[in-house]
Amino acid sequence: MKRKKLSLPILILIGMILGILGGIPFQKNPEFAVNYIKPFGTLFLNLIKMIVVPVVLCSIISGVISMKDIRKVGSVGLKSVSFYLTTTAVAVTLGMIFANVSKVGVGMQYASDSLTFEAVESPSFMETLLNIFPSNAVEPLVSATMLQVIVLALFFGFGIILAGEKGEPLGTLIDSATEVCLQIMGMIIKLSPIGVFALLLPVVAENGPSVLLPLFKLILVIYSAYIFHMLTVFSFTSKVMGKISPMRFFKEMMPAMTMAFSSSSSVGTLPLNIECSQKLGAKKEICSFVLPLGATINMNGTSIYQGVCAIFIANVFGIELSLTQQIMVVLTATLASVGTAGVPGSGVIMLSMVLQSAGLPLEGIALIAGIDRILDMGRTVVNITGDANCAVCISSAEDRKAAKKAARQKAPA
Ligand code: ASP
């Protein structure tokens, strides 16, 4: 009898379980895991990063060209950005409610002299805005500055539409390049079970009970908020706006969620997220536009983390946050999420910006730094699930709009 081949999501799940179990014996001596297993994970992430820029560039250009109408691109773009900012603001607020109710950090003992943290220079709002527009057409591709890559792709897409017949050959070439990039990405994704194993094992090995236990309550509160946000906000929007059952949504998203959990990188998960969202029925042109945008600007998980951490740090230092300060946290966390890339650890940089604006001590970050990777894994899952959620909702809304338009045209005058 022919043996049935295991599907990729199952293999990724096996890789993840083996990575977690395999890391436990190394907790006493993590050097081996770090020196000899982690590099394979890094190699896998590097391959993904290698293909991400061509995938984003080509797929956004293809997406724009296939919408054929600059106004439609504008309308989809505006809807996506509004969706992203709204869910992000809800996420920070939810994180703060969870932290306030659970009183996380209250009465925690710490040795104040052991807390030091170098503030990372965070860009101002105007700087963030200016940084979106590149002054050089090649540099963003080389440095993988995703927001700039998106802007470049939009301009090229618009240019091809406006050039009409003369632009068609370039459009065809880009469509072909997109297909080639997606095939390369497919090959790399086949390696994900091994990649996931090699990425997770060292994390478990390095984060033994002595690192985790003192901050167990913080981890628990943050993860509860992540799960609550996904089960309520994403279930509601996928049901009401995306017209698909939440069960199906989460089931199809499993491979991308597993990948996000292991890699802690929204950008690295992008190729798999595009695949999952299309399986959920989101149109290719919408996915290729909305998802790369989301991987760069939409971070629901990161905002939950910021909301909880801000309250946690205030509680540890015995600072009472006024309502104005709490609103400041919501605003800065929402805006800060736009300017930060979907790579491991970028949430901490944003957190220092949020703390600064609310007048909270930056030293508090030193408390969290040790477990940041554990929190990053979960927040990346929420981040990419939010992106896919938006793609599904916008795609379904566009379908309904097109159906209405077609019905109006058919109806006799
Ligand atoms: N790692 C997260 C992501 O890639 C960003 C963060 O650090 O919060 O989405």
Side-chain angles (χ1 to χ4, degrees):
M1 240 175 54
K2 245 172 110 186
R3 286 232 321 267
K4 216 177 137 214
K5 260 175 94 185
L6 290 174
S7 66
L8 186 65
I10 302 280
L11 286 173
I12 297 182
L13 206 67
I14 295 176
M16 186 173 136
I17 294 170
L18 288 181
I20 293 174
L21 295 179
I24 298 170
F26 288 107
Q27 278 176 349
K28 286 214 174 74
N29 181 16
E31 274 80 38
F32 180 84
V34 172
N35 292 336
Y36 297 100
I37 298 179
K38 199 174 174 179
F40 290 97
T42 311
L43 189 153
F44 172 65
L45 270 189
N46 284 350
L47 286 178
I48 290 189
K49 284 187 198 153
M50 168 190 89
I51 200 64
V52 144
V53 171
V55 165
V56 170
L57 183 74
C58 296
S59 68
I60 290 196
I61 301 180
S62 292
V64 171
I65 307 171
S66 54
M67 285 193 231
K68 291 192 186 82
D69 178 2
I70 296 184
R71 262 179 314 176
K72 184 171 175 193
V73 181
S75 131
V76 170
L78 202 70
K79 276 185 206 152
S80 321
V81 173
S82 319
F83 190 101
Y84 285 151
L85 291 182
T86 315
T87 48
T88 305
V90 171
V92 204
T93 314
L94 195 95
M96 293 173 79
I97 295 175
F98 265 68
N100 276 318
V101 171
S102 63
K103 297 195 167 59
V104 66
V106 172
M108 203 176 139
Q109 299 293 324
Y110 65 94
S112 58
D113 51 346
S114 66
L115 295 181
T116 49
F117 180 78
E118 282 286 320
V120 193
E121 194 57 51
S122 45
S124 71
F125 178 70
M126 274 330 260
E127 262 175 319
T128 309
L129 197 71
L130 267 186
N131 282 342
I132 298 175
F133 299 92
S135 59
N136 177 312
V138 184
E139 218 270 327
L141 307 180
V142 177
S143 60
T145 316
M146 300 317 285
L147 220 48
Q148 296 189 349
V149 173
I150 292 173
V151 170
L152 207 61
L154 284 176
F155 274 113
F156 268 91
F158 292 157
I160 293 172
I161 295 179
L162 294 173
E165 223 172 275
K166 284 207 171 143
E168 272 169 22
L170 185 56
T172 315
L173 184 74
I174 287 178
D175 276 342
S176 153
T178 310
E179 192 48 46
V180 172
C181 290
L182 291 177
Q183 289 299 331
I184 299 176
M185 185 187 84
M187 289 190 268
I188 299 170
I189 283 178
K190 285 215 176 83
L191 298 175
S192 38
I194 303 171
V196 160
F197 167 81
L199 283 169
L200 266 188
L201 194 144
V203 174
V204 177
E206 281 181 302
N207 290 282
S210 58
V211 182
L212 298 184
L213 279 180
L215 292 162
F216 187 69
K217 185 167 175 191
L218 177 68
I219 299 175
L220 199 74
V221 173
I222 294 190
Y223 267 81
S224 310
Y226 290 158
I227 294 171
F228 186 82
H229 183 74
M230 290 205 282
L231 291 183
T232 52
V233 178
F234 297 164
S235 294
F236 176 78
T237 42
S238 65
K239 179 88 197 151
V240 175
M241 296 168 72
K243 308 285 176 213
I244 51 169
S245 83
M247 277 289 268
R248 177 162 168 243
F249 176 75
F250 288 114
K251 191 169 159 258
E252 295 286 7
M253 280 304 293
M254 248 340 150
M257 288 165 90
T258 317
M259 179 69 190
F261 188 75
S262 324
S263 67
S264 293
S265 170
S266 294
V267 172
T269 313
L270 187 58
L272 209 57
N273 210 9
I274 295 182
E275 223 173 271
C276 293
S277 306
Q278 285 189 11
K279 276 202 189 132
L280 279 164
K283 283 243 176 59
K284 193 172 159 212
E285 76 226 35
I286 302 280
C287 289
S288 43
F289 178 62
V290 173
L291 291 176
L293 187 71
T296 317
I297 69 166
N298 178 46
M299 300 198 174
N300 283 198
T302 306
S303 358
I304 292 178
Y305 151 88
Q306 287 168 347
V308 178
C309 287
I311 305 283
F312 168 78
I313 291 170
N315 285 344
V316 169
F317 286 85
I319 300 167
E320 186 88 36
L321 275 184
S322 66
L323 189 66
T324 328
Q325 279 171 307
Q326 302 221 13
I327 293 173
M328 222 33 219
V329 171
V330 175
L331 285 181
T332 32
T334 307
L335 290 179
S337 70
V338 175
T340 309
V343 291
S346 60
V348 181
I349 303 170
M350 283 149 68
L351 181 61
S352 64
M353 196 166 150
V354 173
L355 294 182
Q356 257 166 347
S357 69
L360 286 169
L362 287 175
E363 292 75 23
I365 293 183
L367 277 173
I368 302 162
I371 54 154
D372 192 64
R373 182 59 190 253
I374 305 285
L375 304 174
D376 197 357
M377 289 157 68
R379 63 184 189 245
T380 310
V381 172
V382 186
N383 290 348
I384 62 108
T385 314
D387 301 341
N389 187 244
C390 176
V392 169
C393 293
I394 303 272
S395 186
S396 155
E398 288 298 311
D399 284 350
R400 285 195 299 276
K401 200 167 130 190
K404 259 194 205 152
K405 199 171 158 195
R408 242 185 285 132
Q409 276 166 357
K410 253 199 209 153

